Amino acid sequence: RHMGSIWWLIAATAVAAEETVADLIHEAKLLARRQDAQGALELLERAQVLAPSATEPMTLKGNVFMYLLGDAASGESAYRQALAIDPTAWDASFFLAKSIASQGGGRAEEAAVAFDAAAALQPSNLATRLEQGAAWLVAGSYPRASEAYLAAAAADPHSPQPLLARARAAATHILC
């Protein structure tokens, strides 16, 4: 009977910690919307301490670095840490690719390969496929870009974006 009480206490503590992590993440998102990057980062650090195997706090830290502080390199580092925890975390994979692409510096092919990885995790995600195509164009591979745009068209046959992007890419490829 005493052991049952201990297990209940352990389970209740785990649930409370999860709720606390969710609350911290929620509050961090609110602070980020108010442009309070430092406040958001502090709450996300606390969430990460409570749930070290969760990727969301680390991915959100990457977003704060990238989009609020304009620090793509720190964003990249945070996304890589999230992917070290869970290599199947699509959001971390997608934003890693965006962070690499935004840094330039001869890393176009690396960014395109990173978008390939994100697309492999969510093959039917239109945004990922469009970014993948654009990244392969910047990397100088029209055939890979065309493949990505065709995959985007298959993912969302009702959207004109993939075929328009492919047509623009083809025109640029022919003219250059």
Side-chain angles (χ1 to χ4, degrees), residues 122-155:
Q122 283 195 7
S124 63
N125 186 292
L126 180 63
T128 304
R129 292 296 188 172
L130 291 171
E131 294 275 1
Q132 178 189 26
W136 277 114
L137 276 180
V138 172
S141 177
Y142 170 74
R144 299 287 299 270
S146 181
E147 287 175 26
Y149 291 136
L150 288 174

Side-chain angles (χ1 to χ4, degrees), residues 10-59:
I10 291 170
T13 302
V15 169
E18 286 179 33
E19 291 172 348
T20 302
V21 169
D23 291 342
L24 289 169
I25 288 172
H26 176 75
E27 290 298 318
K29 287 178 180 179
L30 292 176
L31 290 175
R33 285 188 193 115
R34 287 185 244 147
Q35 306 296 308
D36 182 357
Q38 287 312 122
L41 288 172
E42 288 171 16
L43 292 178
L44 292 169
E45 282 289 333
R46 288 176 36 204
Q48 190 177 0
V49 168
L50 289 173
S53 63
T55 60
E56 188 176 15
M58 190 56 69
T59 301

